[in-house]
Amino acid sequence: MAVTAGWRGKVSLIVSGSLLLAAATGCTGGSGNTGQPAASPGETAASGKFDTNLTANLSMYVDISLPDEWYKKFIIDPVMKKFPNVKLELVRRAKGVTPSELVVADAFPDILYNSPPRLNEYKELGLLYDMSELIKKYNVDLSKLNQPAMETIKQLADKGQIVGLPFWVNWSALYYNKDIFDKFGEPYPKDGMTWEETIELSKRLTKTDNGTSYRGLDHSLNGFAGQMSLGFVDAATEKPALLQAEGFKRSYELLLSLYKIPGNQDRKTAPKDAFLKEKTLAMWPMYADVPSWIAELEAKGEKFNWDMVQIPALKEAPGVSLAVDSHNLHVTSSSKNKEAAFQVIMYLLSEGPQLELVKNGFLTSSTDQEINKHFGEAMPTLKGKNLKPVFNSTPAPKGPMHKFDSIVSSEYNKAFAGVENGSKDINSALREASELAEKRIEEAKKK
């Protein structure tokens, strides 16, 4: 089901049809959004009464590339069932439907669905709204929400405002293709490996066989930086922090050691396609989206022999995975119906919708671990898989966020090319990236 790009011509996702996310097929734990588990979970942050007679026409803006069916299953349908008189439309970011264009047209949606690293643009447009009074009015218990996720959200506000609430909490793993390991007679990766050990293992998997080139591992500078909780900008000076934290140099060193492996220079295919479509990438560190993508392949009749282990750790931080991340719901400042929008969000944080997320492989934003006991029950894809990465790893704290992060990050990533091809040493590349980023920041301040 496609949603048209134009704001005026968008299609409501609450029309007839019962499209379900492929990952949910073969549900063993019940598919109803309010189904009760054998052991009932405790109270969530939002376990109060809801006005089921609520009447409102609401819209939700998204620029995270989950499929329409996902939003329909986990947001649109539960809301429609709970509030029969509420219409909730999905608005995707597209040409002509950017945040700034909608703000100019006074047509930005009531609810924003997003994750913290992508929110600076919305903050600059004044779209983030302090939900504190609504939280107080409806007795939402913030202590029952995932606190690392809440701390990250609080970074977005200047004076302690609460501008969003976590819907679900991400987890990460090192996914691997068993067939590639079997082909080359190599042992599968294990929980608790370091990055150095994993890169060494990848060397033995980066080779050509019968004309097909395989690579052992791919990763990113931002992935390493996030795991080290690095902030790209010094908030006090608003200048790049690339020369202040040793972690930026170390990220270069780690990625260089990976990309210097013979055969690892040809990276024309994005990691997602190399791992899932071409099946030429043996290991891929990534967040919780991967099992759902694999389920989509399996629903089309494709077979994928895979499993997962914990994200490789830094030597000094065993058990620490990729940076904490959550997908959050925000009432927007432009909404004409903030209370209705908040009630919808509050319901999505309650037991029924949270339980359905967990059954389909997403961690609850609630601190109630009874809910997480039902993890993956509706996902045959996860049956028999190693779930230690989900529950035995600790996400790295989110590094300090700043509105100029994207400027510094882009220069940091571009400068790595010179390090990889040998035209620059690491210190020179970092210094030049810092200088270029500082100039761009000064230009951005003048706009």
Side-chain angles (χ1 to χ4, degrees):
M1 178 181 291
V3 177
T4 57
W7 162 255
R8 300 302 175 191
K10 64 184 181 295
V11 178
S12 169
L13 286 186
I14 62 172
V15 296
S16 61
S18 57
L19 290 171
L20 296 179
L21 184 65
T25 58
C27 174
T28 59
S31 60
N33 289 310
T34 57
Q36 293 296 317
S40 179
E43 290 187 350
T44 57
S47 36
K49 301 292 184 180
F50 305 101
D51 180 7
T52 54
N53 294 318
L54 183 69
T55 300
N57 291 329
L58 301 174
S59 53
M60 183 177 70
Y61 192 78
V62 301
D63 65 3
I64 294 178
S65 58
L66 291 163
D68 292 349
E69 292 84 356
W70 191 96
Y71 291 105
K72 184 177 189 297
K73 178 175 175 60
F74 296 111
I75 295 179
I76 304 295
D77 282 355
V79 168
M80 182 179 68
K81 184 174 181 179
K82 187 69 176 181
F83 306 104
N85 299 318
V86 168
K87 181 180 180 182
L88 180 58
E89 293 180 311
L90 186 70
V91 183
R92 283 192 180 276
R93 185 181 188 126
K95 185 177 181 180
V97 200
T98 64
S100 58
E101 288 168 324
L102 293 178
V103 167
V104 170
D106 191 25
F108 196 85
D110 305 274
I111 298 171
L112 172 64
Y113 177 95
N114 219 313
S115 60
R118 309 158 71 101
L119 286 171
N120 277 318
E121 176 183 9
Y122 301 93
K123 181 178 179 179
E124 289 296 300
L125 289 170
L127 289 167
L128 300 185
Y129 171 73
D130 183 8
M131 297 158 59
S132 299
E133 288 302 314
L134 290 169
I135 289 168
K136 182 178 180 181
K137 178 176 180 178
Y138 288 97
N139 297 312
V140 177
D141 188 349
L142 297 182
S143 70
K144 291 182 178 178
L145 287 170
N146 181 279
Q147 291 307 296
M150 286 301 302
E151 289 304 314
T152 303
I153 291 171
K154 288 176 183 177
Q155 276 201 49
L156 297 165
D158 298 319
K159 299 179 181 178
Q161 303 99 321
I162 307 297
V163 297
L165 296 173
F167 181 38
W168 62 272
V169 179
N170 223 333
W171 52 271
S172 58
L174 179 68
Y175 302 93
Y176 64 95
N177 185 327
K178 287 185 172 183
D179 288 341
I180 297 178
F181 281 83
D182 294 343
K183 176 185 288 290
F184 297 122
E186 293 295 338
Y188 300 146
K190 299 178 181 179
D191 291 310
M193 294 176 66
T194 65
W195 278 112
E196 287 80 4
E197 290 171 334
T198 308
I199 292 170
E200 189 63 30
L201 173 60
S202 77
K203 291 180 181 179
R204 304 195 295 273
L205 297 158
T206 305
K207 56 182 67 178
T208 299
D209 182 72
N210 290 327
T212 301
S213 296
Y214 294 90
R215 291 191 293 128
L217 172 70
D218 206 343
H219 199 32
S220 67
L221 290 171
N222 285 359
F224 285 127
Q227 195 170 4
M228 296 181 198
S229 302
L230 299 175
F232 283 93
V233 177
D234 182 334
T237 63
E238 291 198 324
K239 292 184 177 182
L242 300 180
L243 302 178
Q244 298 177 12
E246 184 67 20
F248 290 111
K249 180 179 180 180
R250 188 173 177 193
S251 296
Y252 266 17
E253 292 170 341
L254 283 168
L255 194 63
L256 183 62
S257 68
L258 173 61
Y259 283 175
K260 281 299 184 182
I261 296 172
N264 221 2
Q265 290 72 45
D266 184 6
R267 302 185 301 276
K268 295 178 182 178
T269 304
K272 179 180 178 181
D273 288 340
F275 187 74
L276 295 172
K277 292 183 180 180
E278 298 176 359
K279 298 183 177 63
T280 56
L281 181 62
M283 296 179 285
W284 186 30
M286 184 57 182
Y287 284 104
D289 314 72
V290 178
S292 292
W293 292 333
I294 293 174
E296 291 175 11
L297 295 177
E298 293 176 341
K300 297 174 183 177
E302 293 188 39
K303 293 184 178 180
F304 195 4
N305 190 17
W306 70 285
D307 208 335
M308 57 187 176
V309 294
Q310 290 175 303
I311 288 286
L314 302 164
K315 291 179 180 178
E316 69 276 14
V320 175
S321 58
L322 299 185
V324 64
D325 179 62
S326 60
H327 284 209
N328 308 319
L329 295 164
H330 311 257
V331 175
T332 65
S333 62
S334 59
S335 173
K336 308 297 191 299
N337 205 340
K338 292 182 175 64
E339 292 220 13
F342 187 77
Q343 280 219 38
V344 164
I345 291 174
M346 188 169 64
Y347 172 64
L348 290 171
L349 299 185
S350 68
E351 180 185 319
Q354 288 293 303
L355 184 58
E356 194 67 11
L357 280 167
V358 168
K359 286 180 178 180
N360 285 278
F362 304 93
L363 290 179
T364 179
S365 62
S366 170
T367 57
D368 174 30
Q369 293 308 303
E370 286 297 315
I371 296 177
N372 278 333
K373 288 181 179 179
H374 301 275
F375 180 84
E377 286 180 354
M379 285 193 75
T381 300
L382 286 172
K383 186 176 181 180
K385 302 302 179 186
N386 174 29
L387 298 183
K388 288 183 180 179
V390 182
F391 298 107
N392 292 8
S393 300
T394 302
K398 183 66 181 174
M401 294 183 290
H402 194 279
K403 64 181 179 180
F404 296 136
D405 280 347
S406 61
I407 291 177
V408 182
S409 175
S410 66
E411 295 298 338
Y412 177 62
N413 279 273
K414 283 192 292 185
F416 180 77
V419 175
E420 185 180 2
N421 65 30
S423 63
K424 296 176 185 176
D425 62 73
I426 290 178
N427 290 330
S428 297
L430 286 173
R431 184 170 58 253
E432 290 179 23
S434 183
E435 291 170 354
L436 288 170
E438 186 171 351
K439 289 179 182 178
R440 287 180 58 189
I441 289 173
E442 291 305 315
E443 290 171 1
K445 288 180 179 180
K446 297 174 183 177
K447 294 181 179 178

